[in-house]
Structures are given as structure tokens and as C-alpha cells.
Amino acid sequence: YRHQLRQNTTTELTAEQIHEIGLADVARLRGEMEAIQKKIGVEGDLQAFFAHVAQNPALQYPNTDEGRAAYMADTNAAIDNIRKLLPDYFGLLPKAPLEVRRVEAFREQPGAAQHYYPGTADGSRPGIYYMHMSDMSAMPKTELEVIAYHEALPGHHMQLSIAQELTGLPKFRTQLMLSAYAEGWGLYSERLAKEMPGTYQDPYSDYGRLVSEMWRAIRLVVDTGLHAKGWTEAQAVEYFAQNSSIPRAAMESEVRRYLIMPGQATSYKIGMNKMLELRAKAENALGDKFDIRGFHDTILGGGALPLDLLEKRVDGWIAAQKAA
């Protein structure tokens, strides 16, 4: 398990350290969720808020062709808003086009996760953000924005397209997939989008952002609990239920995934946390000289990297900025 953690996080963090990071993140996110609950005005504890969101028909799209068209239109509007803002946050921009599509009927599954399929390096195929739309009850309005930002812009489409388009690097550097880096960027993008004008305007959408981050924080606790602390499957599911509003069946499926893929689920949040840590480090070191575009270009401009090498790259950028 130590080896799996090292492989998946690209760090030397121990199971105990990762477990404690997860507990701290879960506690912080519960507090942020409770603040939104108070802002909306829902009485009771966090479980009552979870139930309120799950049972609120206004937060669902109709399971009809009209509902699917509305979801598609709202997704495109969210992505178009981000696309216009990208030059304020990035110097490197992807050349590859991005399309939003419904998953083809032959492979569409009710409730399956939206996902990104990268384009080709030669530009002959665009990057595609795919959505399973056969069951609209599995696609609440609360999660529309956060998933689009993770999978499309400024998330995986930015990261994977820019990597493929880099020149002057060995070919493998443009194609390498490292979960801590790639999924760390996807989660970082969910948070970054909140800094951009016109996003998460509805508090329920901001709640959806927290649900997504909480899901990945819980993974740190549960994965290490199962593989290093002797937790049972039932204990893991119960911890999920105490802290998340995702459906019970999804929690059970998640825990089974962790059982057969030790360590993989820890990569997402560890990667995000490292990128936030590196940004804070750069902001503190550079003060008024900190340039968000330069920072993001440093993160994305070397292709996927283990987190220790990513830190060295950022440290080099900080030193160069100071010298300039």
C-alpha cells in the first residue's frame, strides 16, 4: 500500500499523513457547506440540508428531450463564459477546439459520469466533453457548472490540449498521464473557476462545487482507512454517508472501487492541494509581482509532472520572477 500511495500521489506522504489531511479537509468543507445552508435559510443539521437539496424539484432538469436540451444549453453557456475569460488567467491557450456532446446511444448508461475525451495532437479530432443524458435525475443543476469546469474549461481540455501542443519536449512528455497532476488540475480548476466573473452565481451551484471537493476529500480518509487502519466496507460507506449527499448506491460503488484500486483515489485531492500550496507559495514570495498567467503557464507548460518536479519547476519560476 505504501508503494501504491507513492505511485498514485507521486509523493512520500504516509497513509497516516494522508488520512489526517483528509480529516482536516472534510472538517473545513463541512463548515463551508453549513455557511451556504445558513445563507439559503435551511433549518437543521447538514443531513437536513443534504435531504433538502436531493428532494428539491427545482434543482432537477426534466427527464425529457426539453430537459436534455436545457442542460446542454446551460453547459455551453457556462463553458462559453469561461472561454472568454481565459486570456486573463492564462498565457498558454489550447489550439484544439472543444465540443460538448451527448454520449452515443450504443454506450450511454443511466447515471454514468460525464467525462472528457482528448483530441488528437494533429488537430484532426477536437477535444470532447461527453455527457450521459438518458437519466436526467442523475444530473442535478447543482453539479452542472463544477463538472463542466473540471472536464472542459479550465480543466482537462486546457491541460491535455496544451500538453499535446507543447514543442521542444520529448514526445512522452506531451502524452504522459499522471493522476495526481491531471486530476489535481481538474480539481484546482473547479476552485479557480470561482475566481472568474459570472461563475457559481447561484449558491446551490457553489454548494455543488463543495460537494465535488468533499467527495475527493472523503477519499483520502476512506482509502487510507480501508487499507491502513483496518476499516470495514460498512465503516467506509457510513463515513461517506455522514459527510456527502451523493446517492447511497454511488457511495457503495465508490468504496468497492477503493477496495480493488488501493491508493488511486488519493491522487485527486493530494494533487489539488499541492497546486494550491504552490500558488500560495508563489503569491507570498512575489507579492505584487505575482502574475496568475505566468503561474498557470508554469503549471501547464511542462506537461504532466510528478508533484516534486512540479514544485521544482514553480520554484524556478519564482526565482526567475524575483531576478527580473
Side-chain angles (χ1 to χ4, degrees), residues 117-158:
Y117 195 77
T120 51
D122 64 4
S124 59
R125 184 185 68 228
I128 303 168
Y129 172 35
Y130 276 115
M131 301 182 294
H132 292 263
M133 307 185 81
S134 53
D135 178 13
M136 294 305 294
S137 69
M139 302 179 72
K141 293 181 179 179
T142 52
E143 297 173 16
L144 180 147
E145 281 190 73
V146 69
I147 298 173
Y149 302 149
H150 181 117
E151 301 294 344
L153 296 175
H156 288 321
H157 180 69
M158 286 283 294

Coordinates of all heavy atoms in Angstrom, one line a residue, residues 117-158:
Y117 N -12.9 13.5 -23.4 CA -12.1 12.6 -24.3 C -11.2 13.5 -25.1 O -11.7 14.4 -25.9 CB -13.1 11.9 -25.3 CG -12.4 10.7 -26.0 CD1 -12.1 9.5 -25.4 CD2 -12.0 10.9 -27.3 CE1 -11.5 8.5 -26.0 CE2 -11.4 9.8 -28.0 CZ -11.1 8.6 -27.4 OH -10.5 7.6 -28.0
P118 N -9.9 13.4 -25.0 CA -9.0 14.3 -25.6 C -9.0 14.3 -27.1 O -9.2 13.2 -27.7 CB -7.6 14.0 -25.0 CG -7.7 12.5 -24.6 CD -9.2 12.4 -24.2
G119 N -8.7 15.4 -27.7 CA -8.5 15.4 -29.2 C -7.1 14.8 -29.5 O -6.4 14.4 -28.7
T120 N -6.8 14.9 -30.8 CA -5.6 14.4 -31.3 C -4.5 15.5 -31.4 O -4.9 16.6 -31.5 CB -5.7 13.7 -32.7 OG1 -6.4 14.7 -33.5 CG2 -6.6 12.5 -32.6
A121 N -3.3 15.1 -31.3 CA -2.2 16.0 -31.3 C -2.1 16.8 -32.6 O -1.7 18.0 -32.7 CB -0.8 15.3 -31.1
D122 N -2.6 16.2 -33.7 CA -2.5 16.9 -35.0 C -3.8 17.7 -35.3 O -3.9 18.3 -36.4 CB -2.3 15.8 -36.2 CG -3.5 14.9 -36.3 OD1 -4.5 15.0 -35.6 OD2 -3.4 14.0 -37.2
G123 N -4.7 17.8 -34.3 CA -5.9 18.6 -34.5 C -7.0 18.0 -35.3 O -8.0 18.7 -35.6
S124 N -6.8 16.8 -35.8 CA -7.8 16.2 -36.6 C -9.1 15.8 -35.9 O -10.2 15.6 -36.5 CB -7.3 15.0 -37.4 OG -6.9 14.0 -36.4
R125 N -9.0 15.7 -34.6 CA -10.2 15.4 -33.8 C -10.3 16.4 -32.6 O -9.2 16.6 -31.9 CB -10.2 14.0 -33.2 CG -11.5 13.6 -32.4 CD -11.5 12.2 -31.8 NE -10.5 12.2 -30.7 CZ -9.6 11.2 -30.6 NH1 -9.5 10.3 -31.5 NH2 -8.7 11.3 -29.6
P126 N -11.4 17.1 -32.3 CA -11.4 18.0 -31.2 C -11.5 17.3 -29.9 O -11.8 16.1 -29.8 CB -12.8 18.7 -31.5 CG -13.6 17.7 -32.2 CD -12.7 16.9 -33.0
G127 N -11.2 18.0 -28.8 CA -11.5 17.5 -27.5 C -13.0 17.5 -27.3 O -13.7 18.4 -27.7
I128 N -13.5 16.5 -26.6 CA -15.0 16.4 -26.5 C -15.3 16.2 -25.0 O -14.8 15.3 -24.3 CB -15.5 15.1 -27.3 CG1 -15.1 15.3 -28.8 CG2 -17.0 15.0 -27.2 CD1 -15.3 14.0 -29.6
Y129 N -16.3 17.0 -24.5 CA -16.9 16.8 -23.2 C -18.2 16.0 -23.4 O -19.1 16.5 -24.0 CB -17.1 18.2 -22.6 CG -17.9 18.1 -21.3 CD1 -17.8 17.1 -20.4 CD2 -18.8 19.2 -21.0 CE1 -18.5 17.1 -19.2 CE2 -19.5 19.2 -19.8 CZ -19.4 18.1 -18.9 OH -20.1 18.1 -17.8
Y130 N -18.2 14.8 -22.9 CA -19.3 13.9 -23.2 C -20.2 13.9 -21.9 O -19.7 13.8 -20.8 CB -18.8 12.5 -23.4 CG -18.4 12.2 -24.8 CD1 -17.1 11.9 -25.2 CD2 -19.4 12.1 -25.8 CE1 -16.7 11.6 -26.5 CE2 -19.0 11.8 -27.1 CZ -17.7 11.5 -27.5 OH -17.4 11.2 -28.8
M131 N -21.5 13.8 -22.2 CA -22.5 13.7 -21.1 C -23.5 12.6 -21.3 O -24.0 12.4 -22.4 CB -23.3 15.0 -21.0 CG -22.4 16.2 -20.7 SD -23.3 17.8 -20.5 CE -23.9 18.0 -22.2
H132 N -23.7 11.7 -20.3 CA -24.7 10.7 -20.3 C -26.0 11.4 -19.9 O -26.2 11.9 -18.8 CB -24.4 9.6 -19.3 CG -23.2 8.8 -19.7 ND1 -23.2 7.6 -20.3 CD2 -21.8 9.0 -19.5 CE1 -22.0 7.1 -20.5 NE2 -21.2 7.9 -20.0
M133 N -27.0 11.3 -20.8 CA -28.2 12.1 -20.6 C -29.5 11.2 -20.6 O -30.6 11.8 -20.7 CB -28.3 13.2 -21.6 CG -27.1 14.1 -21.7 SD -27.2 15.5 -22.8 CE -28.1 16.7 -21.8
S134 N -29.3 9.9 -20.5 CA -30.5 9.1 -20.6 C -31.4 9.2 -19.3 O -32.6 8.9 -19.3 CB -30.2 7.6 -20.9 OG -29.2 7.2 -19.9
D135 N -30.7 9.5 -18.2 CA -31.4 9.7 -16.9 C -31.1 11.1 -16.3 O -30.1 11.2 -15.7 CB -31.0 8.6 -15.9 CG -31.7 8.7 -14.6 OD1 -32.7 9.5 -14.5 OD2 -31.3 8.1 -13.6
M136 N -31.9 12.0 -16.6 CA -31.6 13.4 -16.1 C -31.7 13.6 -14.6 O -31.2 14.5 -14.1 CB -32.6 14.4 -16.8 CG -32.3 14.5 -18.3 SD -30.6 14.9 -18.8 CE -30.5 16.5 -18.1
S137 N -32.3 12.6 -13.9 CA -32.4 12.7 -12.5 C -31.0 12.6 -11.8 O -30.8 12.9 -10.7 CB -33.3 11.6 -11.9 OG -32.8 10.3 -12.1
A138 N -30.1 12.0 -12.6 CA -28.7 11.8 -12.1 C -27.8 13.0 -12.5 O -26.6 13.0 -12.2 CB -28.1 10.6 -12.7
M139 N -28.4 14.1 -13.0 CA -27.7 15.3 -13.5 C -28.3 16.5 -12.9 O -28.9 17.3 -13.6 CB -27.6 15.3 -15.0 CG -27.0 14.1 -15.6 SD -27.0 14.1 -17.4 CE -25.7 15.3 -17.7
P140 N -28.2 16.7 -11.6 CA -28.8 17.9 -10.9 C -28.2 19.2 -11.4 O -27.0 19.3 -11.8 CB -28.6 17.6 -9.4 CG -27.3 16.8 -9.4 CD -27.4 15.9 -10.6
K141 N -28.9 20.3 -11.3 CA -28.5 21.6 -11.6 C -27.3 22.0 -10.8 O -26.4 22.8 -11.2 CB -29.6 22.6 -11.5 CG -30.7 22.4 -12.5 CD -31.8 23.5 -12.3 CE -32.9 23.3 -13.4 NZ -34.0 24.3 -13.2
T142 N -27.2 21.5 -9.5 CA -26.2 21.9 -8.6 C -24.8 21.5 -9.1 O -23.8 22.2 -8.8 CB -26.4 21.3 -7.2 OG1 -26.5 19.9 -7.4 CG2 -27.6 21.8 -6.5
E143 N -24.7 20.5 -9.9 CA -23.4 20.0 -10.3 C -23.0 20.3 -11.8 O -21.9 20.0 -12.2 CB -23.4 18.5 -10.1 CG -23.5 18.1 -8.7 CD -23.6 16.5 -8.5 OE1 -23.3 15.8 -9.4 OE2 -24.1 16.1 -7.4
L144 N -23.9 21.0 -12.5 CA -23.6 21.3 -13.9 C -22.4 22.1 -14.1 O -21.5 21.7 -14.9 CB -24.8 22.0 -14.5 CG -24.7 22.4 -16.0 CD1 -26.1 22.4 -16.7 CD2 -24.1 23.8 -16.2
E145 N -22.2 23.2 -13.3 CA -21.1 24.0 -13.6 C -19.8 23.4 -13.1 O -18.8 23.3 -13.9 CB -21.2 25.3 -12.8 CG -22.1 26.3 -13.4 CD -22.0 27.7 -12.7 OE1 -21.0 28.4 -12.9 OE2 -23.0 28.0 -12.0
V146 N -19.7 22.8 -11.9 CA -18.5 22.3 -11.4 C -17.9 21.1 -12.3 O -16.7 21.1 -12.6 CB -18.6 21.8 -10.0 CG1 -19.5 20.5 -9.8 CG2 -17.3 21.6 -9.3
I147 N -18.8 20.3 -12.9 CA -18.3 19.2 -13.7 C -17.8 19.8 -15.0 O -16.8 19.3 -15.6 CB -19.5 18.2 -14.0 CG1 -19.9 17.5 -12.6 CG2 -19.0 17.1 -14.9 CD1 -21.1 16.6 -12.7
A148 N -18.5 20.8 -15.6 CA -18.1 21.4 -16.8 C -16.7 22.0 -16.7 O -15.8 21.9 -17.6 CB -19.1 22.4 -17.3
Y149 N -16.5 22.7 -15.5 CA -15.2 23.3 -15.3 C -14.1 22.3 -15.1 O -12.9 22.5 -15.5 CB -15.3 24.3 -14.1 CG -16.3 25.4 -14.2 CD1 -17.0 25.8 -13.1 CD2 -16.7 25.9 -15.5 CE1 -18.0 26.8 -13.2 CE2 -17.7 26.9 -15.6 CZ -18.3 27.3 -14.4 OH -19.3 28.3 -14.5
H150 N -14.4 21.2 -14.5 CA -13.4 20.1 -14.3 C -13.0 19.4 -15.6 O -11.9 19.3 -15.9 CB -14.0 19.1 -13.3 CG -13.0 18.0 -12.9 ND1 -12.5 17.8 -11.7 CD2 -12.5 17.0 -13.7 CE1 -11.7 16.7 -11.7 NE2 -11.7 16.2 -12.9
E151 N -14.0 19.0 -16.3 CA -13.8 18.2 -17.5 C -13.4 19.0 -18.8 O -12.6 18.6 -19.6 CB -15.1 17.4 -17.9 CG -15.5 16.5 -16.7 CD -14.6 15.3 -16.5 OE1 -13.7 15.1 -17.3 OE2 -14.7 14.7 -15.4
A152 N -13.9 20.2 -18.9 CA -13.7 21.0 -20.1 C -12.8 22.2 -19.9 O -11.6 22.1 -19.9 CB -15.1 21.5 -20.6
L153 N -13.3 23.4 -19.5 CA -12.6 24.6 -19.3 C -12.9 25.1 -17.9 O -14.0 25.2 -17.5 CB -12.9 25.7 -20.3 CG -12.5 25.4 -21.8 CD1 -13.1 26.5 -22.7 CD2 -11.1 25.2 -22.0
P154 N -11.8 25.5 -17.1 CA -10.4 25.5 -17.5 C -9.7 24.1 -17.1 O -8.5 24.1 -16.9 CB -9.9 26.6 -16.6 CG -10.7 26.6 -15.4 CD -12.1 26.1 -15.9
G155 N -10.4 23.0 -17.1 CA -9.9 21.8 -16.6 C -9.2 20.9 -17.6 O -8.2 21.4 -18.2
H156 N -9.7 19.7 -17.8 CA -8.9 18.7 -18.6 C -8.6 19.2 -20.1 O -7.6 18.8 -20.6 CB -9.6 17.4 -18.6 CG -9.5 16.7 -17.3 ND1 -8.4 16.7 -16.5 CD2 -10.4 16.0 -16.6 CE1 -8.6 16.1 -15.4 NE2 -9.8 15.6 -15.4
H157 N -9.6 19.9 -20.7 CA -9.3 20.3 -22.1 C -8.1 21.2 -22.1 O -7.3 21.1 -23.0 CB -10.5 21.0 -22.7 CG -10.3 21.4 -24.1 ND1 -10.2 20.5 -25.1 CD2 -10.2 22.7 -24.7 CE1 -10.0 21.2 -26.3 NE2 -10.0 22.5 -26.0
M158 N -8.0 22.2 -21.2 CA -6.9 23.0 -21.2 C -5.6 22.2 -21.0 O -4.6 22.3 -21.7 CB -7.0 24.0 -20.0 CG -8.0 25.1 -20.2 SD -7.4 26.5 -21.2 CE -6.1 27.1 -20.3

